[in-house]
Every structure is written in structure tokens, then in C-alpha cells.
Amino acid sequence: AVLIFVVCAEQIAVAQGQNTLEKVITNKKVRVGILTDYAPWGSRNAQGKYEGFDVDIAYKLGEALAVDVELISVEAPARVPSLVSDKVDVIIGCITPTNERAKTVNFTIPYASEGLVLMIWADNEDVKSYHDLAGKTVAIVRGGTPDVGITKAAPDANIIRFDTIADAFTAFKSKKAEVFIEEELMVYYQVAQDSRFKTVGEPFHRGLISFGVKKNDQEWLNYLNNFLTNMRFTGELVEIYEKWFAHKPASLVIN
């Protein structure tokens, strides 16, 4: 009985010491889940390397921790599951800290904000805002913020849901949908690259952007909040924002 007690005590001690912060420092590596089909937040460049706003922040996190950064590509609907299944240590992937998601994972303080906008073909004169979407075919990613936002804002739209942002965008570009809806900075970036498209209306269904972490991992959450607070205070976060989005952040969230 004594031997069993000792073994169990050791197991409890090990379990208690296995918070993510200690694991990351011990392993000298942090696994960061990012979106890689979502320029300028995260994408692959011509050389096949990941780049973007979230990617730069991930590397800053590695520098702060003095560890290597392993970037792990995750699709938008898989961001929360990848945390729950311990595939990643943190999500830095333009994720909105909704109340529904917060039932499953925890979120840091915000590091950016966003709103949804409509992308349509440049010759489309029928759609001026989300109020004109009744009967229109709209491509979105399944279960994400655009799904929640447009389902509420335009319940009479013909919504086509896809498992990835890339698939939804491809459907729009191949004219299987008349409208593509996503986060404003991603949409503005894509429109700037291709004159065939335009945006209409003001951003709607505004939200915040945070890091995502597993539940019951308070030490790790505390560290990440401290990291973001320092990034905001020193101005590093604004510098990275302006690098990728070519303007100052409209929100005071990261100032």
C-alpha cells in the first residue's frame, strides 16, 4: 500500500507540473496553430515559407520564450479542435473569442479587431450591402464568424458552407457563388490584388481577435496575456500591424 501511495504521489506531482508554459520551456519549442490560406494574416509565399501578421507575432512569442517556433497549419473550423486534441500549444490564427467557443477553450486579451465585409465581382451592381442578400448565393467557411454573422444578418440568403476558407474563396472565384464573406482585412487585401473583385457596404458583425489556449491552463494563459500586454505597450504590435495592413489600426484594442 505504501508503494502504491508513493507511485501515485509521483504521478500527481508530474501531472501538476505539466502546464504548457513549463512544457514549452523544457522542450524548447512552442507549437503555434496558424491559418495558411488567409493572407495577410497567414499564408505561404513564393518560396513556400509561411508569412503574415499572425506569423510574425508567433515568431515574436518564440523570441520572448527563447524557444523554437513550430508553425502548424490548421483550417479555420479545426482551430478549437486542434487545441482540445493537444495538436498545438496556442492558436494565433485570427480567431474571434466568441462566448460559444469560450465554453471549450480559453482566450487571451485581444490583439486585434475585425469586421465582416462582402466581396463581389466588380460588375455586380445588384448587391450594395448585406441587406441585399436575399436569394443571393453566398460562400462562407462552415462554423466560423462569417457563418454566425451572415446567418443572423441575412437569413434569406442562399448560404453555401465550405470546410475551408480556401474552398469558399475558390467557389466564389469560379462563380459558384455571387458573394464571398470574410474578415475585412483579408477581403481588402484580396481585392487590392485582383481588380475583378470589389467590396461593398460597411463592415458588420464586428469582433475581437485573441490567442486561443486549452482550458485549465492558467499559467500559460497568464504568460500569453503578459506577452501581449508588453507587445502593446512597446508599440511592437502596432508596427507589425502596419507592416501587413498598410495603415494604423482603427481600433484602440491594440494601442
Side-chain angles (χ1 to χ4, degrees):
V2 174
L3 178 60
I4 293 174
F5 172 77
V6 171
V7 171
C8 290
E10 289 178 350
Q11 290 175 338
I12 292 171
V14 169
Q16 289 176 337
Q18 289 303 301
N19 68 66
T20 301
L21 178 58
E22 290 178 340
K23 183 180 69 173
V24 164
I25 293 172
T26 299
N27 295 339
K28 300 185 183 303
K29 180 178 71 175
V30 59
R31 302 169 301 162
V32 181
I34 60 168
L35 297 177
T36 56
D37 57 358
Y38 208 60
W41 296 80
S43 62
R44 285 185 184 271
N45 61 24
Q47 291 72 44
K49 294 183 178 180
Y50 294 134
E51 64 177 15
F53 178 60
D54 283 336
V55 174
D56 281 1
I57 292 174
Y59 281 120
K60 284 291 185 181
L61 176 61
E63 289 178 16
L65 289 161
V67 302
D68 293 332
V69 176
E70 180 184 358
L71 299 176
I72 299 175
S73 177
V74 296
E75 301 293 353
R79 286 173 296 183
V80 169
S82 70
L83 283 169
V84 174
S85 64
D86 197 36
K87 181 179 179 181
V88 301
D89 300 314
V90 56
I91 287 289
I92 308 179
C94 195
I95 188 168
T96 304
T98 65
N99 292 333
E100 186 62 30
R101 286 171 175 159
K103 295 176 183 177
T104 308
V105 297
N106 283 342
F107 293 100
T108 62
I109 58 175
Y111 68 100
S113 63
E114 52 81 33
L116 299 178
V117 293
L118 280 61
M119 179 191 292
I120 62 176
W121 285 80
D123 60 358
N124 186 337
E125 300 297 333
D126 296 331
V127 177
K128 304 297 183 183
S129 76
Y130 67 86
H131 297 293
D132 302 320
L133 294 181
K136 304 296 184 187
T137 306
V138 180
I140 57 171
V141 66
R142 188 188 317 278
T145 303
D147 196 346
V148 175
I150 201 59
T151 299
K152 181 178 180 180
D156 296 326
N158 178 20
I159 299 173
I160 306 177
R161 296 172 173 85
F162 295 86
D163 290 332
T164 70
I165 296 168
D167 287 345
F169 192 32
T170 297
F172 166 72
K173 289 189 291 185
S174 61
K175 297 195 173 182
K176 295 178 181 177
E178 300 165 86
V179 182
F180 172 69
I181 298 178
E182 254 302 334
E183 180 276 329
E184 61 187 311
L185 297 173
M186 182 267 190
V187 172
Y188 293 151
Y189 178 85
Q190 296 297 336
V191 168
Q193 310 302 310
D194 197 326
S195 61
R196 295 177 301 166
F197 311 132
K198 66 181 180 181
T199 61
V200 291
E202 293 296 318
F204 68 100
H205 195 77
R206 301 207 67 90
L208 302 172
I209 304 295
S210 299
F211 293 1
V213 299
K214 287 189 297 186
K215 284 285 189 185
N216 304 314
D217 205 349
Q218 192 62 46
E219 291 295 328
W220 184 223
L221 183 63
N222 290 347
Y223 181 87
L224 294 173
N225 280 331
N226 189 76
F227 165 76
L228 284 173
T229 297
N230 285 323
M231 286 279 286
R232 290 159 62 170
F233 178 76
T234 61
E236 285 184 293
L237 193 54
V238 172
E239 289 177 8
I240 297 172
Y241 186 99
E242 291 177 352
K243 169 186 173 182
W244 288 103
F245 303 127
H247 62 83
K248 291 184 180 297
S251 172
L252 294 177
V253 167
I254 67 171
N255 287 343

